[in-house]
Structures are given as C-alpha cells and as structure tokens.
C-alpha cells in the first residue's frame, strides 16, 4: 500500500526536523544567522539560478557546443548521466536514444528524480556508500529553501555531493569572510515532493501550421536545441 502524508504535515517544521533526524541520525542543521551571511539571494534570484544551471546541464547532455564558455561539468558525472540516454555505434557520434527523447519531454521534477536515481546507483563506482548518499539527499530536501547552511557541518562525502549538486542547480555556494555556506534551491526542496509538483520552467509558445511549418517563441537555448531534434531550422530571429 502507498501512503501519502497530508500537506500540513509535509510543511510542518517539526515534522521535517523529525524526518531529517531519522535520515541522518543527528539533529537537523540550523541556518546561519544574517549577521554571518549578510544579504542572501532572494527566492526569485535563487529560482532563476537553479533553472539556468539545470538548463545548462540539459544542454550539455544534448549538445555541449551550445553551453556557455566557463560552464564545466565533471566528465565522469556526465558519462553517468548520459548512460541510458545516449546511444552510439562504432565510429559514430553518440545520439539521443529513445529513452533520451522521453527524458527531454518529462517535467522538470521527473527529470530530476531520474538524474538522482542514476547518481545514487553509480555511488559505489565512486567509492561512496549509497545509503549515506540517500540519507543526505533526503535530509537536504527538508532544508529551508533560500536559507544558508555552513559547509563546515558536512562530512567529506557530503562535501563532494554538494559540489555535484551545485552543478545541477540544487544548491548555490557562497563564500563569506570566515565561513562558506550552501543555499538549497527549489530543485533541492522538491526532492521530497511528489512528481506532480514540478518545478517552474521558462515559458515559450510553439505554433504548428497545417503545412507542418513550426514557429517557436522562446529565448531558451534548451528549447531551441530540443526543437532541432524534431525539425529543421530555416530562420532564427530574436525571440523567435
């Protein structure tokens, strides 16, 4: 049988702290005070950062040449995530598999769970105990979005995981005068949500005529690259 908690329990701080304690075996982390961090990113700024990071990651999966310079992802991690999404024949460049096409059409939260599943399943290859990783991810999902948590409270395994999660847009790292901290984004807190509670995405409009001409209004590079997989681009104008 499948049980789903009422939302009022899900949003309860005391309930979240209890879950965090059960997962990690220690008391939940307390956010750093404003006197230490100073101004933190607003929720809007944090959400834009998370979506930009996630879009860059998806672009890397599809076409790394479209990713902005200065954006780097761990090659070993990319191979892990591309496993099952790309297929290649001898002497040919890797192409999206059937699963890869289905992945791109998923909602953001479903994509996130797929990536996290691959991340956990490959933990032993990186010398990490999957149980420790699962506990940390569950604990992270109950942290407060937009709050700052000290990196000094993390174990070595958790520090490595935080760096990987930063690349995906689940957390944002900041450096202070005496301390460094991570800030969970909506993508991180959505790990404890149902798949139907998908994260926000950049808007766009697609118009398809009866003669199979297609017009897409979007400023997203990711949207453009996905459309290239299904169509041939004849004209590309600003915002069109």
């Amino acid at each position: 049988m499948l049980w789903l908690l009422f939302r009022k329990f899900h949003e309860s701080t005391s309930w979240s702290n209890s879950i965090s304690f059960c997962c990690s075996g220690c008391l939940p982390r307390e956010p750093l005070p404003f006197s230490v961090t100073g101004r933190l990113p607003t929720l809007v700024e944090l959400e834009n950062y998370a979506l930009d990071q996630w879009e860059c990651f998806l672009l890397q999966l599809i076409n790394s040449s479209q990713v902005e310079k200065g954006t780097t992802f761990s090659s070993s991690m990319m191979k892990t995530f591309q496993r099952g999404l790309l297929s290649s024949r001898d002497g040919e460049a890797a192409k999206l598999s059937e699963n890869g096409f289905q992945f791109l059409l998923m909602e953001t939260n479903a994509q996130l769970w797929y990536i996290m599943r691959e991340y956990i399943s490959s933990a032993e290859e990186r010398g990490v105990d999957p149980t420790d990783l699962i506990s940390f991810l569950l604990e992270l999902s109950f942290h407060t979005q937009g709050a700052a948590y000290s990196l000094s409270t993390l174990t070595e395994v958790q520090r490595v995981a935080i760096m990987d999660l930063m690349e995906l847009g689940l957390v944002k790292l900041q450096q202070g005068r005496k301390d460094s901290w991570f800030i969970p984004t909506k993508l991180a807190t959505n790990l404890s949500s149902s798949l139907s509670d998908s994260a926000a995405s950049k808007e766009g409009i697609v118009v398809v005529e009866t003669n199979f001409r297609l017009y897409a209004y979007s400023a997203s590079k990711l949207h453009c690259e996905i459309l290239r997989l299904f169509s041939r681009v004849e004209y590309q104008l600003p915002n069109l």
Side-chain angles (χ1 to χ4, degrees):
M1 298 179 67
L2 176 63
W3 296 83
L4 184 63
L5 282 171
F6 291 123
R7 183 167 292 275
K8 64 180 181 180
F9 291 110
H10 174 83
E11 296 175 348
S12 167
T13 302
S14 59
W15 173 259
S16 299
N17 289 345
S18 299
I19 289 291
S20 177
F21 177 78
C22 292
C23 292
S24 63
C26 60
L27 292 175
R29 294 182 181 85
E30 292 294 331
L32 292 172
F34 178 79
S35 59
V36 175
T37 63
R39 181 189 179 277
L40 294 174
T42 65
L43 293 182
V44 174
E45 292 172 341
L46 205 59
E47 183 168 357
N48 290 336
Y49 161 81
L51 292 177
D52 287 342
Q53 286 293 108
W54 185 253
E55 188 167 288
C56 283
F57 167 68
L58 294 181
L59 272 173
Q60 181 79 7
L61 284 175
I62 302 172
N63 186 356
S64 59
S65 64
Q66 291 296 320
V67 179
E68 295 181 2
K69 293 182 179 180
T71 304
T72 58
F73 295 94
S74 167
S75 59
S76 60
M77 293 305 300
M78 287 305 302
K79 289 180 180 178
T80 298
F81 297 142
Q82 289 174 338
R83 186 170 51 194
L85 299 179
L86 300 181
S87 61
S88 61
R89 298 179 180 178
D90 295 338
E92 295 184 1
K95 297 181 179 179
L96 276 177
S97 63
E98 182 178 347
N99 289 337
F101 279 108
Q102 293 177 354
F103 172 80
L104 289 178
L105 299 179
M106 290 179 181
E107 293 185 342
T108 302
N109 215 28
Q111 291 177 334
L112 178 61
W113 270 105
Y114 178 94
I115 292 300
M116 288 298 99
R117 186 181 63 191
E118 292 297 316
Y119 185 58
I120 294 170
S121 64
S122 63
E124 291 184 345
E125 299 176 9
R126 306 191 302 275
V128 177
D129 186 347
T131 304
D132 293 340
L133 188 55
I134 293 172
S135 296
F136 178 60
L137 290 174
L138 288 174
E139 180 189 356
L140 180 64
S141 70
F142 285 98
H143 280 28
T144 301
Q145 179 186 352
Y149 297 87
S150 176
L151 288 173
S152 63
T153 63
L154 302 179
T155 65
E156 185 60 31
V157 170
Q158 292 171 344
R159 282 175 175 268
V160 173
I162 278 292
M163 297 303 296
D164 293 332
L165 298 179
M166 177 198 66
E167 293 183 345
L168 299 176
L170 274 73
V171 297
K172 182 179 179 66
L173 299 185
Q174 286 191 331
Q175 174 71 49
R177 292 182 178 179
K178 296 182 179 180
D179 201 357
S180 300
W181 54 83
F182 66 92
I183 307 172
T185 68
K186 188 176 182 179
L187 290 178
T189 56
N190 271 1
L191 287 174
S192 60
S193 304
S194 64
L195 290 180
S196 60
D197 298 331
S198 59
S201 59
K202 294 184 178 179
E203 294 183 355
I205 299 175
V206 175
V207 178
V208 182
E209 295 182 338
T210 55
N211 59 3
F212 300 107
R213 282 185 175 271
L214 184 150
Y215 302 89
Y217 296 84
S218 177
S220 168
K221 289 184 179 180
L222 177 62
H223 292 170
C224 294
E225 287 304 309
I226 292 177
L227 288 172
R228 288 179 189 273
L229 299 173
F230 300 92
S231 59
R232 182 182 71 252
V233 178
E234 294 186 351
Y235 305 102
Q236 189 165 355
L237 305 174
N239 297 321
L240 175 61

